[in-house]
Amino acid sequence: MADNHGNTPAAWTGVTVAMAGFVVGGVALMLSPVSMTLFWVGVALGLVSLPVFAIMTKLGMGSH
């Protein structure tokens, strides 16, 4: 197991982008007329977090 236990810029950025996606999607579902457009924006943010993490890890900002 790595000494940093996932405390890398790549991990933090990936989790932050995914969290933003969940918040946006959750807010969209709580609006009075449910905003499906905003919901899908949240889903897209969640999916974008995976390549963001992978790219940052390949750039050397992840665990070695």
Side-chain angles (χ1 to χ4, degrees):
M1 181 176 247
D3 292 333
N4 57 19
H5 298 288
N7 290 326
T8 64
W12 278 99
T13 304
V15 168
T16 302
V17 172
M19 175 87 75
F22 277 101
V23 169
V24 168
V27 168
L29 292 175
M30 289 189 293
L31 294 175
S32 182
V34 174
S35 175
M36 290 307 288
T37 303
L38 194 57
F39 170 75
W40 287 111
V41 168
V43 170
L45 278 173
L47 293 175
V48 164
S49 68
L50 297 172
V52 165
F53 171 74
I55 290 168
M56 289 184 72
T57 299
K58 290 200 183 281
L59 289 174
M61 296 181 207
S63 181
H64 300 320

XYZ file of all heavy atoms in Angstrom:
452
model
N 0.845 -1.184 0.000
C 0.000 0.000 0.000
C 0.886 1.242 0.000
O 1.932 1.273 0.623
C -0.913 -0.023 1.221
C -1.840 1.155 1.290
S -2.981 1.030 2.681
C -4.479 0.833 1.772
N 0.453 2.257 -0.695
C 1.238 3.485 -0.800
C 1.285 4.216 0.536
O 0.377 4.109 1.359
C 0.635 4.380 -1.871
N 2.348 4.954 0.710
C 2.502 5.716 1.955
C 1.522 6.883 2.044
O 1.180 7.329 3.131
C 3.934 6.245 2.064
C 4.935 5.129 2.276
O 4.533 4.084 2.842
O 6.095 5.285 1.869
N 1.084 7.405 0.901
C 0.216 8.588 0.932
C -1.265 8.238 1.054
O -2.075 9.116 1.250
C 0.459 9.448 -0.312
C 0.238 8.686 -1.591
O -0.418 7.654 -1.611
N 0.808 9.200 -2.675
N -1.641 6.960 0.914
C -3.025 6.501 1.084
C -4.018 7.287 0.229
O -5.110 7.627 0.673
C -3.454 6.560 2.547
C -2.647 5.686 3.435
N -2.746 4.324 3.430
C -1.703 5.992 4.359
C -1.907 3.819 4.313
N -1.248 4.803 4.879
N -3.644 7.612 -0.995
C -4.548 8.300 -1.908
C -4.567 9.801 -1.775
O -5.361 10.467 -2.426
N -3.717 10.353 -0.946
C -3.663 11.806 -0.792
C -2.759 12.403 -1.862
O -1.674 12.897 -1.589
C -3.165 12.193 0.602
C -4.179 11.880 1.667
O -5.372 11.980 1.424
N -3.725 11.497 2.836
N -3.221 12.355 -3.099
C -2.485 12.907 -4.226
C -3.358 13.931 -4.928
O -4.588 13.909 -4.797
C -2.103 11.802 -5.228
O -3.294 11.245 -5.780
C -1.278 10.707 -4.566
N -2.743 14.855 -5.662
C -3.551 15.824 -6.410
C -4.525 15.152 -7.385
O -5.653 15.623 -7.555
C -2.511 16.658 -7.160
C -1.277 16.547 -6.341
C -1.307 15.169 -5.753
N -4.108 14.049 -7.999
C -4.998 13.358 -8.939
C -6.221 12.801 -8.222
O -7.355 12.923 -8.708
C -4.241 12.232 -9.648
N -6.010 12.184 -7.064
C -7.126 11.614 -6.311
C -8.068 12.709 -5.806
O -9.292 12.588 -5.922
C -6.601 10.785 -5.149
N -7.500 13.770 -5.258
C -8.335 14.852 -4.746
C -9.141 15.516 -5.857
O -10.325 15.833 -5.688
C -7.484 15.899 -4.026
C -7.160 15.503 -2.627
C -6.003 14.946 -2.182
C -8.014 15.600 -1.485
N -6.092 14.701 -0.843
C -7.304 15.098 -0.377
C -9.314 16.063 -1.293
C -7.859 15.039 0.892
C -9.850 16.017 -0.016
C -9.129 15.509 1.049
N -8.520 15.722 -7.000
C -9.233 16.352 -8.114
C -10.333 15.442 -8.643
O -11.454 15.897 -8.898
C -8.256 16.718 -9.246
O -7.222 17.548 -8.708
C -8.964 17.447 -10.366
N -10.032 14.160 -8.799
C -11.042 13.220 -9.267
C -12.239 13.151 -8.343
O -13.395 13.167 -8.785
N -11.981 13.094 -7.057
C -13.074 13.026 -6.078
C -13.857 14.335 -6.053
O -15.087 14.328 -5.944
C -12.518 12.682 -4.676
C -13.565 12.887 -3.605
C -12.004 11.256 -4.656
N -13.178 15.460 -6.178
C -13.861 16.759 -6.163
C -14.784 16.910 -7.370
O -15.929 17.374 -7.232
C -12.832 17.904 -6.134
O -12.006 17.750 -4.973
C -13.509 19.250 -6.105
N -14.313 16.502 -8.543
C -15.153 16.596 -9.742
C -16.346 15.647 -9.625
O -17.481 16.012 -9.953
C -14.328 16.304 -11.013
C -15.217 16.216 -12.242
C -13.264 17.370 -11.205
N -16.118 14.436 -9.121
C -17.220 13.486 -8.936
C -18.225 14.012 -7.916
O -19.441 13.895 -8.110
C -16.679 12.135 -8.501
N -17.731 14.600 -6.828
C -18.622 15.158 -5.798
C -19.463 16.291 -6.385
O -20.662 16.386 -6.102
C -17.812 15.681 -4.617
C -18.643 16.369 -3.574
S -19.309 15.268 -2.354
C -17.872 14.938 -1.406
N -18.848 17.135 -7.201
C -19.600 18.218 -7.845
C -20.703 17.640 -8.726
O -21.820 18.168 -8.762
C -18.662 19.095 -8.664
N -20.403 16.552 -9.419
C -21.419 15.902 -10.248
C -22.586 15.389 -9.425
O -23.746 15.550 -9.807
N -22.280 14.760 -8.293
C -23.358 14.261 -7.425
C -24.188 15.409 -6.857
O -25.418 15.306 -6.753
C -22.782 13.425 -6.281
C -22.511 12.004 -6.670
C -21.231 11.596 -6.972
C -23.538 11.075 -6.736
C -20.966 10.290 -7.338
C -23.295 9.760 -7.105
C -21.997 9.369 -7.411
N -23.547 16.505 -6.498
C -24.283 17.656 -5.952
C -25.184 18.262 -7.024
O -26.362 18.538 -6.771
C -23.302 18.704 -5.382
C -24.010 20.005 -5.068
C -22.618 18.165 -4.141
N -24.643 18.466 -8.218
C -25.442 19.040 -9.311
C -26.617 18.126 -9.641
O -27.760 18.584 -9.788
C -24.565 19.295 -10.553
C -25.414 19.615 -11.770
C -23.582 20.415 -10.288
N -26.373 16.830 -9.749
C -27.448 15.885 -10.044
C -28.487 15.836 -8.942
O -29.689 15.766 -9.205
N -28.041 15.886 -7.697
C -28.972 15.862 -6.567
C -29.841 17.109 -6.503
O -31.048 17.030 -6.251
N -29.224 18.258 -6.745
C -29.989 19.509 -6.757
C -31.008 19.485 -7.893
O -32.151 19.915 -7.725
C -29.045 20.722 -6.876
C -29.806 21.993 -7.194
C -28.243 20.893 -5.598
N -30.608 18.960 -9.041
C -31.528 18.889 -10.185
C -32.744 18.040 -9.864
O -33.862 18.370 -10.276
C -30.800 18.320 -11.404
N -32.555 16.963 -9.118
C -33.688 16.097 -8.779
C -34.582 16.696 -7.700
O -35.736 16.294 -7.562
C -33.176 14.724 -8.337
C -32.517 13.887 -9.431
C -31.950 12.605 -8.838
C -33.505 13.571 -10.534
N -34.070 17.648 -6.924
C -34.872 18.257 -5.866
C -35.646 19.482 -6.331
O -36.484 19.993 -5.590
C -33.972 18.643 -4.679
C -33.461 17.447 -3.926
S -32.629 17.873 -2.399
C -31.186 18.711 -3.002
N -35.369 19.980 -7.528
C -36.104 21.139 -8.023
C -37.562 20.766 -8.245
O -37.890 19.613 -8.531
C -35.480 21.646 -9.323
C -34.066 22.211 -9.197
C -33.518 22.555 -10.578
C -34.054 23.438 -8.309
N -38.446 21.752 -8.126
C -39.871 21.480 -8.222
C -40.264 20.830 -9.547
O -40.777 19.727 -9.556
C -40.668 22.758 -7.980
O -42.047 22.493 -8.037
N -40.053 21.464 -10.695
C -40.107 20.630 -11.895
C -38.690 20.072 -12.090
O -37.736 20.819 -12.264
C -40.490 21.583 -13.020
C -40.112 22.934 -12.548
C -40.081 22.880 -11.040
N -38.553 18.774 -12.005
C -37.227 18.146 -12.073
C -36.530 18.553 -13.367
O -37.107 18.451 -14.444
C -37.343 16.613 -11.988
C -36.006 15.952 -12.212
C -37.920 16.209 -10.653
N -35.308 19.047 -13.231
C -34.527 19.476 -14.389
C -33.661 18.316 -14.868
O -32.592 18.068 -14.331
C -33.651 20.673 -14.026
O -32.818 21.005 -15.104
N -34.145 17.626 -15.887
C -33.396 16.484 -16.408
C -32.112 16.930 -17.112
O -31.122 16.220 -17.105
C -34.274 15.663 -17.355
C -35.391 14.921 -16.637
S -34.814 13.905 -15.251
C -33.991 12.583 -16.098
N -32.136 18.121 -17.687
C -30.922 18.638 -18.320
C -29.828 18.817 -17.280
O -28.688 18.381 -17.482
C -31.208 19.983 -19.019
O -32.263 19.801 -19.957
C -29.966 20.501 -19.706
N -30.151 19.433 -16.168
C -29.177 19.643 -15.100
C -28.760 18.308 -14.484
O -27.590 18.114 -14.128
C -29.769 20.558 -14.028
C -28.799 21.157 -13.014
C -27.710 21.948 -13.716
C -29.552 22.037 -12.044
N -29.680 17.372 -14.396
C -29.343 16.039 -13.894
C -28.283 15.380 -14.772
O -27.305 14.819 -14.288
C -30.597 15.164 -13.834
C -30.298 13.718 -13.557
C -29.936 13.306 -12.285
C -30.350 12.780 -14.574
C -29.642 11.970 -12.030
C -30.060 11.453 -14.329
C -29.711 11.043 -13.048
N -28.469 15.451 -16.105
C -27.512 14.820 -17.013
C -26.170 15.552 -17.022
O -25.133 14.940 -17.280
C -28.095 14.683 -18.407
C -29.140 13.610 -18.438
C -30.478 13.784 -18.609
C -28.935 12.207 -18.238
N -31.121 12.570 -18.533
C -30.195 11.585 -18.310
C -27.819 11.425 -18.009
C -30.358 10.220 -18.160
C -27.976 10.052 -17.854
C -29.227 9.465 -17.934
N -26.181 16.842 -16.727
C -24.918 17.565 -16.553
C -24.167 16.991 -15.355
O -22.950 16.788 -15.399
C -25.158 19.086 -16.385
C -23.898 19.800 -15.926
C -25.675 19.682 -17.676
N -24.893 16.699 -14.272
C -24.280 16.074 -13.105
C -23.732 14.698 -13.412
O -22.631 14.338 -12.972
N -24.470 13.914 -14.189
C -23.990 12.581 -14.591
C -22.718 12.723 -15.431
O -21.748 11.981 -15.239
C -25.082 11.818 -15.372
C -24.523 10.556 -15.992
C -26.256 11.498 -14.461
N -22.715 13.684 -16.340
C -21.534 13.902 -17.184
C -20.325 14.290 -16.339
O -19.210 13.817 -16.581
C -21.826 14.979 -18.225
N -20.529 15.141 -15.337
C -19.421 15.509 -14.449
C -18.880 14.289 -13.718
O -17.667 14.140 -13.561
C -19.875 16.562 -13.428
C -19.896 17.999 -13.903
C -20.544 18.887 -12.834
C -18.502 18.479 -14.210
N -19.771 13.435 -13.277
C -19.334 12.220 -12.594
C -18.509 11.333 -13.514
O -17.493 10.760 -13.092
N -18.914 11.217 -14.761
C -18.176 10.393 -15.714
C -16.850 11.031 -16.121
O -15.873 10.333 -16.381
C -19.034 10.116 -16.945
C -20.258 9.236 -16.699
C -21.097 9.134 -17.968
C -19.850 7.869 -16.200
N -16.812 12.354 -16.171
C -15.585 13.063 -16.547
C -14.509 12.912 -15.466
O -13.317 12.978 -15.764
C -15.901 14.559 -16.812
C -14.661 15.422 -16.825
C -16.644 14.694 -18.128
N -14.927 12.654 -14.243
C -13.942 12.545 -13.161
C -12.991 11.362 -13.369
O -11.833 11.426 -12.950
C -14.645 12.415 -11.808
O -15.316 11.175 -11.708
N -13.446 10.302 -14.030
C -12.578 9.140 -14.259
C -11.419 9.454 -15.209
O -10.262 9.191 -14.862
C -13.415 7.966 -14.767
C -14.476 7.457 -13.787
C -15.367 6.434 -14.458
C -13.819 6.890 -12.550
N -11.668 10.036 -16.399
C -10.521 10.377 -17.241
C -9.645 11.477 -16.646
O -8.438 11.482 -16.860
C -11.133 10.834 -18.562
C -12.585 10.730 -18.445
C -12.934 10.207 -17.101
N -10.249 12.403 -15.896
C -9.448 13.443 -15.246
C -8.447 12.795 -14.290
O -7.256 13.134 -14.299
C -10.347 14.456 -14.490
C -9.543 15.314 -13.535
C -11.098 15.328 -15.473
N -8.911 11.845 -13.493
C -8.026 11.140 -12.575
C -6.937 10.382 -13.331
O -5.756 10.444 -12.986
C -8.830 10.180 -11.691
C -7.977 9.266 -10.877
C -7.292 9.754 -9.780
C -7.847 7.937 -11.202
C -6.483 8.916 -9.018
C -7.059 7.091 -10.462
C -6.362 7.584 -9.360
N -7.334 9.671 -14.389
C -6.374 8.874 -15.156
C -5.315 9.756 -15.821
O -4.123 9.429 -15.801
C -7.107 8.051 -16.207
N -5.739 10.858 -16.402
C -4.792 11.759 -17.075
C -3.835 12.375 -16.065
O -2.622 12.439 -16.300
C -5.550 12.843 -17.863
C -6.253 12.214 -19.064
C -4.619 13.959 -18.310
C -7.247 13.123 -19.753
N -4.366 12.830 -14.929
C -3.492 13.427 -13.921
C -2.516 12.406 -13.347
O -1.375 12.744 -13.040
C -4.329 14.073 -12.814
C -5.037 15.336 -13.253
S -5.919 16.136 -11.909
C -4.561 16.782 -10.955
N -2.938 11.162 -13.224
C -2.047 10.121 -12.730
C -0.919 9.886 -13.740
O 0.246 9.758 -13.357
C -2.820 8.824 -12.493
O -3.820 9.067 -11.507
C -1.896 7.719 -12.002
N -1.251 9.853 -15.026
C -0.230 9.661 -16.062
C 0.725 10.850 -16.146
O 1.863 10.710 -16.569
C -0.878 9.398 -17.409
C -1.546 8.047 -17.471
C -1.747 7.612 -18.889
C -2.466 6.297 -18.929
N -1.639 5.165 -18.666
N 0.260 12.037 -15.753
C 1.121 13.217 -15.745
C 2.030 13.258 -14.513
O 2.790 14.192 -14.342
C 0.273 14.492 -15.807
C -0.423 14.768 -17.126
C -1.346 15.975 -17.007
C 0.602 14.987 -18.221
N 1.917 12.255 -13.663
C 2.804 12.170 -12.502
C 2.251 12.782 -11.231
O 2.987 12.982 -10.275
N 0.963 13.073 -11.208
C 0.362 13.688 -10.011
C -0.337 12.665 -9.124
O -1.001 13.044 -8.175
C -0.617 14.776 -10.431
C 0.030 15.916 -11.141
S -1.191 17.139 -11.575
C -0.419 17.882 -12.986
N -0.193 11.390 -9.462
C -0.803 10.325 -8.663
C 0.249 9.591 -7.868
O 1.397 10.005 -7.753
N -0.152 8.479 -7.323
C 0.755 7.652 -6.536
C 1.748 6.953 -7.452
O 1.398 6.488 -8.522
C -0.055 6.624 -5.745
O 0.796 5.834 -4.974
N 2.990 6.849 -7.001
C 4.029 6.212 -7.825
C 4.259 4.799 -7.362
O 4.463 4.483 -6.285
C 5.328 6.980 -7.748
C 5.194 8.399 -8.243
N 4.459 8.746 -9.339
C 5.689 9.541 -7.756
C 4.554 10.054 -9.521
N 5.270 10.551 -8.567
